[in-house]
């Protein structure tokens, strides 16, 4: 065991199957509990792109880069942990493969299209079923006045607010539903171990199981809080897009509602990245000022959701998280 100095080496991570991934400023480590009880690790030196190239570290840009890198490394970590989890031999190179590059790509594509269906198609259909119609915003007027145009703009805005709230409800329902699965509960326990270990590191305490156990499983820089922030910001961004397009592009006004959707849906997908950049900056700002009352209100939804996505880990799970943290700090 060793103590950590006050130097600010920020770390983050995620839970994987029977393990934890910890990322630092010089690389990352995946630590996974093998079925035979041993802890198998994979370590890679890798300076984050937003630190390696200064222009990628510009606020709002860096959040997009961090998200893309985190997804890429996260998928690799899941592949590694899945293959370890079903292995009979402790040597990674001899283990049976549960997932390979092809199956991983297929899984990502399925998840992508399922996400579009769940978070774009269903909220739109349900909102219209509730009787809230997304009226095309036309450049002309109704009844010879501008009142009709304003009413159309308000109807479209309200439609996207309701659809955005439904999007959050679907996400919450999905998280609650999978939390009842035994394997997912194990992942959530490792998620808690990751948070506790990082809290202990940030507090400057000696990194051992007893010190780690005293900390909370809910961390303000968690990816769960990031997702909630993205969903909340997207509600308002997606609601004002039709009005902006109507103002900037007169041709957009003459299209039917469904033709407008053919433009808006791809635009929504593209805008997820800049919205993520904004959410990243908000979470980064909030993490440094988490004791202020207005910040506590800001991060409250994410911390509340972590009551579901994190669970109290046992000592062996904390040991895995600490192993990943040790080896990442060694880099």
């Amino acid at each position: 065991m060793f103590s950590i100095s006050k130097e600010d080496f920020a770390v983050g991570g995620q839970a994987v199957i029977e393990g934890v991934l910890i990322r630092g400023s010089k690389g990352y480590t995946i630590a996974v509990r093998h079925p035979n009880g041993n802890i198998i690790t994979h370590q890679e030196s890798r300076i984050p792109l937003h630190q390696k190239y200064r222009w990628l570290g510009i606020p709002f840009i860096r959040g997009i880069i961090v998200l893309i890198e985190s997804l890429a490394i996260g998928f690799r970590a899941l592949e590694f942990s899945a293959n370890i989890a079903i292995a009979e031999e402790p040597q990674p190179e001899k283990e049976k493969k549960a997932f390979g590059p092809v199956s991983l790509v297929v899984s990502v594509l399925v998840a992508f299209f399922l996400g579009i269906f769940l978070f774009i198609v269903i909220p739109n259909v349900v909102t219209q079923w509730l009787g809230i119609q997304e009226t095309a915003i036309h450049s002309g007027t109704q009844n010879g006045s501008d009142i009709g145009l304003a009413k159309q703009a308000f109807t479209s805005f309200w439609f996207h607010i309701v659809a955005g709230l439904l999007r959050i409800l679907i996400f919450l329902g999905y998280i609650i539903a999978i939390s009842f699965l035994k394997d997912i509960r194990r992942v959530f326990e490792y998620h808690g171990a990751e948070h506790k270990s990082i809290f202990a590191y940030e507090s400057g305490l000696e990194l051992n199981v007893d010190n780690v156990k005293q900390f909370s499983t809910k961390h303000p820089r968690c990816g769960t809080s990031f997702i909630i922030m993205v969903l909340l910001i997207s509600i308002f961004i997606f609601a004002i897009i039709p009005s902006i397009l109507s103002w900037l592009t007169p041709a957009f006004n003459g299209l039917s509602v469904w033709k407008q959707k053919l433009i808006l849906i791809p635009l929504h997908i593209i805008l997820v990245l800049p919205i993520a950049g904004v959410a990243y900056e908000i979470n980064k700002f909030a993490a440094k000022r988490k004791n202020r009352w207005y910040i506590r209100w800001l991060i409250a939804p994410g911390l509340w959701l972590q009551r579901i996505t994190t669970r109290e880990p046992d000592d062996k799970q904390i040991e895995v998280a600490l192993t990943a943290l040790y080896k990442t700090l060694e880099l």
Side-chain angles (χ1 to χ4, degrees), residues 130-312:
L130 290 173
I132 304 173
Q133 299 295 322
E134 184 184 21
T135 309
I137 303 175
H138 298 289
S139 56
T141 59
Q142 288 184 354
N143 301 323
S145 71
D146 290 332
I147 297 177
L149 182 60
K151 183 177 180 181
Q152 289 180 67
F154 176 78
T155 301
S156 179
F157 183 85
W158 179 239
F159 176 93
H160 287 285
I161 293 293
V162 174
L165 293 174
L166 287 174
R167 198 174 293 120
I168 291 178
L169 289 176
I170 291 171
F171 175 72
L172 292 176
Y174 170 77
I175 293 297
I176 292 172
I178 66 173
S179 69
F180 290 101
L181 301 175
K182 180 181 178 181
D183 290 341
I184 298 299
R185 284 201 301 270
R186 291 283 297 173
V187 173
F188 287 172
E189 288 167 3
Y190 277 104
H191 193 190
E194 175 226 328
H195 284 183
K196 282 175 171 281
S197 299
I198 291 176
F199 262 133
Y201 162 69
E202 292 173 338
S203 299
L205 295 180
E206 182 180 343
L207 296 178
N208 58 52
V209 172
D210 288 336
N211 283 341
V212 169
K213 287 169 68 174
Q214 65 182 289
F215 289 96
S216 171
T217 62
K218 294 177 282 295
H219 197 288
R221 288 193 293 109
C222 174
T224 304
S225 298
F226 171 78
I227 293 173
I228 284 293
M229 189 63 67
V230 167
L231 290 173
L232 290 173
I233 295 172
S234 68
I235 289 178
F236 298 99
I237 297 297
F238 293 166
I240 65 175
I241 284 176
S243 297
I244 294 175
L245 285 176
S246 176
W247 178 54
L248 295 177
T249 312
F252 181 79
N253 301 324
L255 300 176
S256 66
V257 171
W258 292 105
K259 287 183 178 179
Q260 288 185 2
K261 283 183 181 295
L262 291 177
I263 297 174
L264 292 173
I265 289 176
L267 190 57
H268 287 180
I269 296 172
I270 294 171
L271 283 174
V272 167
L273 289 179
I275 289 173
V278 174
Y280 176 86
E281 297 302 328
I282 293 175
N283 276 11
K284 191 176 181 69
F285 175 85
K288 295 180 179 179
R289 300 163 178 82
K290 57 181 179 291
N291 293 324
R292 299 182 183 181
W293 67 268
Y294 59 92
I295 296 297
R296 289 199 295 270
W297 278 95
L298 182 65
I299 65 177
L303 294 179
W304 178 86
L305 186 56
Q306 287 180 53
R307 293 176 179 271
I308 304 172
T309 62
T310 63
R311 300 290 176 90
E312 283 294 332

Side-chain angles (χ1 to χ4, degrees), residues 56-111:
L56 292 179
I58 298 172
F60 303 106
I61 297 295
R62 60 187 176 185
I64 299 173
I65 302 303
V66 168
L67 174 61
I68 294 173
E69 274 197 301
S70 296
L71 288 174
I73 294 173
F75 282 128
R76 278 189 232 145
L78 286 171
E79 179 187 0
F80 177 82
S81 65
N83 291 326
I84 294 295
I86 68 163
E88 297 179 356
E89 300 293 334
Q91 295 84 3
E93 64 274 12
K94 295 183 179 180
E95 288 168 352
K96 178 181 177 182
K97 292 293 181 181
F99 295 97
V102 175
S103 59
L104 196 60
V105 170
V106 171
S107 299
V108 170
L109 290 175
V110 170

Side-chain angles (χ1 to χ4, degrees), residues 30-42:
I30 311 164
V32 179
R33 179 75 69 179
H34 192 278
N36 66 11
N38 293 332
I39 298 176
I40 307 297
T41 63
H42 171 76

